[in-house]
Amino acid sequence: MHSLRKVMENMPIMIDMFSDTVTRPTPGMYEAMVSAEIGDDMSALDPTVNRLEAMACEMLGKEAAVFACSGTQSNQMGVKTHCNPGDELLIETRGHIANFEAGGPAALSGVTCRQIPGHNGMLDIEQLEGMIRADNQHLCITRLLCLENTTNSGGGRAYPIEQVERVCGWAHDNGLKVHVDGARLFNALVATGYSPAEFAQHVDTISICFSKGLGCPMGSILVGSGEDIRKARRIRKLFGGALRQAGVVAGAAVYALENNIERMEVDHQNAKAFAEAISGIDGIQIDVDEVETNLVFFEVDPQLGDATQLSTKLRENGVKIGAAGQYRLRACTHLDVDRDQVLQAAETVQQCVQEGFADLVGSATGPYARG
Ligand SMILES: *Cc1c(COP(=O)(O)O)cnc(C)c1O
């Protein structure tokens, strides 16, 4: 206890831009959780979960929705809803479902991921054409297209609505279903200006995270047709995600949908300000124009060291930014960092690069850690 306090005293103040998942509920959100009406959601008797699911249907213009524990869970529910064992899904090379969900499609649904290089994590029909396997006994069945909006590893990019229409039209014309990993769907909507329903009309199922920019401690939702969501509900039970008095967390999600969407614009502006502030640093590579939402990817000059080493150096100086590749780092803005803090973080990047970090042992945490 004593030594822990000593360590804490010596630690610089942490500006945590590691992820938009690090946010803590605000007092208003806690209040919504505490005062939520609750019941047994497994029997569809939790009024707050029911209200949340109805709100999501209304916003997205879909028939049904099912609350889930995490974005990984609702994505994997989506995959299993659409596919049979032996089927194949198409996804951009960097897609979360293929890379960062512990091999879920293979392990949980017997589905292989065909990873297709796109642009900024997004696919267009020129990359997709010819990717559907012929009806032939030697081949697996191409069943599902997975899109990510915004893209995570692709750079926090939002699909233009014309591209959504084009790609989904192609998929449906070819007999595919479309599932959207919309972990950050609302960032995409705020950045582009299209409405949830304008986007959702083109796709079959969408998974949305409440624990990212929306600021909730946990939870996600899968939205789609009545038939698909009925199936997904059974799969949620199979995956151990059917909960009881889930209103205590759904209350946070209702609060977030009512209060935390428009303000994402602030996160996007802070991301831009951070990107601009680090763009002048010798040894840092970033294209400010590529920063569209709340994720800022940048590269460190290999002559200075690698991303894990810079990450360590930053952490020692009170800023948490993770490695996202050998020389690539990712910084996130969110509810719990303000403009002053992101500018302070940019100054710390400058100072760390100036001081050097080649002698440090790199430490990477999170999904991009190597070795
Ligand atoms: C965060 C995230 C998810 C969900 O991941 P969890 O670890 O389950 O929260 C899904 N897709 C993308 C693109 C994400 O960034």
Side-chain angles (χ1 to χ4, degrees), residues 70-73 75 96 101 148 150 152 181 183-184 209 211-212:
S70 68
T72 297
Q73 188 173 68
N75 274 334
H96 196 276
E101 300 193 2
E148 199 168 299
T150 63
N152 180 348
D181 177 352
R184 296 186 180 82
C209 283
S211 58
K212 300 272 166 81

Side-chain angles (χ1 to χ4, degrees), residues 159-171:
Y159 269 89
I161 197 70
E162 304 75 26
Q163 191 170 342
V164 174
E165 192 172 354
R166 194 160 60 236
V167 166
C168 296
W170 173 88

Side-chain angles (χ1 to χ4, degrees), residues 2-14:
H2 226 78
S3 62
L4 178 64
R5 188 170 308 138
K6 194 151 174 51
V7 169
M8 303 277 283
E9 274 166 14
N10 291 333
M11 285 231 306
I13 293 177
M14 219 15 123

Side-chain angles (χ1 to χ4, degrees), residues 69 73 235-243:
C69 299
Q73 188 173 68
I235 294 164
R236 179 182 71 161
K237 174 68 182 174
L238 172 68
F239 289 174
L243 301 172

Side-chain angles (χ1 to χ4, degrees), residues 42 44 53 57 62-67 77-78 80-82 177 204-205 222-239 242:
M42 214 177 287
E53 291 172 351
C57 291
K62 293 283 188 208
E63 284 172 0
V66 56
F67 185 62
M77 285 158 56
K80 199 173 179 68
T81 294
H82 298 301
K177 291 294 191 90
D204 297 290
T205 49
L222 184 72
V223 192
S225 71
E227 194 185 339
D228 282 343
I229 299 305
R230 214 166 16 256
K231 206 170 162 191
R233 208 171 269 285
R234 182 184 285 268
I235 294 164
R236 179 182 71 161
K237 174 68 182 174
L238 172 68
F239 289 174

